[in-house]
C-alpha cells in the first residue's frame, strides 16, 4: 500500500469517526422532542403539544379541539396548584427495541419548589418523534 493510499484511508476513517461523533443518538433526539413538546405546552402552545401526539393527524377536528381545551385546563391547574412550571429538565431516556418505544424521563420543576418526575413514551414516525 502506498503512502498516498494510507493517507486517503486514514482521512476517510477520521471523517467517518467525526461524523459518527457528531450524530445524536435516537434516544437523545426523542428526549429533546419530548422536552420541546412540554416546553411548548407550558408556554401556551397547546395545539403544538396536541399535534405532537402519535396519530393526532387521524383524529376528528372536534376531538382535537377538546384535547387542546384539556391541555389548557391542565396547565391552568398546574398554575393554580403549584404556581406553574419554572423549568423542565431531561433526566434520561431509554429505548425498548422490542416495542420500538423510547421512554423519556423529564423532571417538572414547579414554582412552589416541588419537583415531579414524569415518563413520556416516544415513538418515531417518518423521522419525527411523537408522544405515545
Amino acid at each position: 500500500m502506498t503512502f498516498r493510499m494510507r493517507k486517503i484511508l486514514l482521512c476517510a476513517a477520521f471523517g467517518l469517526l467525526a461524523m459518527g461523533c457528531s450524530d445524536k443518538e435516537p434516544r437523545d433526539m426523542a428526549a429533546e422532542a419530548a422536552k420541546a413538546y412540554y416546553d411548548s405546552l407550558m408556554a401556551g402552545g397547546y395545539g403544538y403539544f396536541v399535534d405532537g401526539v402519535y396519530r393526532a393527524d387521524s383524529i376528528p377536528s372536534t376531538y382535537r379541539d377538546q384535547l387542546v381545551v384539556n391541555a389548557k385546563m391542565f396547565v391552568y391547574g398546574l398554575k393554580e396548584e403549584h404556581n406553574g412550571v419554572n423549568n423542565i429538565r431531561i433526566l434520561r431516556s431509554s429505548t425498548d427495541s422490542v416495542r420500538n418505544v423510547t421512554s423519556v424521563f423529564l423532571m417538572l420543576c414547579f414554582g412552589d419548589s416541588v419537583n415531579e418526575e414524569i415518563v413520556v413514551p416516544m415513538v418515531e414516525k417518518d423521522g419525527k418523534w411523537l408522544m405515545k
Side-chain angles (χ1 to χ4, degrees):
M1 189 180 290
T2 67
F3 175 75
R4 182 182 166 110
M5 286 179 68
R6 276 186 265 163
K7 187 176 179 183
I8 291 172
L9 286 174
L10 188 61
C11 287
F14 279 115
L16 289 174
L17 181 63
M19 284 181 6
C21 291
S22 66
D23 289 335
K24 291 183 181 177
E25 292 286 327
R27 64 188 171 132
D28 294 334
M29 292 187 295
E32 290 173 6
K35 183 180 182 318
Y37 289 130
Y38 272 84
D39 282 340
S40 177
L41 175 65
M42 298 307 158
Y46 312 113
Y48 179 77
F49 180 81
V50 169
D51 293 339
V53 175
Y54 182 64
R55 298 198 187 237
D57 55 348
S58 63
I59 61 174
S61 63
T62 54
Y63 182 57
R64 182 191 178 281
D65 294 343
Q66 290 174 3
L67 292 174
V68 169
V69 170
N70 285 345
K72 286 180 187 179
M73 289 176 14
F74 174 71
V75 172
Y76 177 79
L78 291 179
K79 287 179 181 175
E80 290 294 309
E81 189 174 338
H82 294 289
N83 296 324
V85 175
N86 290 341
N87 190 22
I88 300 170
R89 294 185 321 216
I90 299 170
L91 297 178
R92 64 188 179 285
S93 58
S94 63
T95 301
D96 182 341
S97 58
V98 174
R99 293 180 40 224
N100 290 326
V101 173
T102 298
S103 296
V104 176
F105 297 83
L106 298 176
M107 181 66 72
L108 302 181
C109 304
F110 297 106
D112 61 0
S113 74
V114 171
N115 294 330
E116 181 178 347
E117 184 177 328
I118 63 170
V119 180
V120 184
M122 301 289 289
V123 294
E124 186 179 15
K125 180 183 177 198
D126 300 328
K128 183 177 180 180
W129 285 96
L130 300 168
M131 297 176 287
K132 186 127 173 128

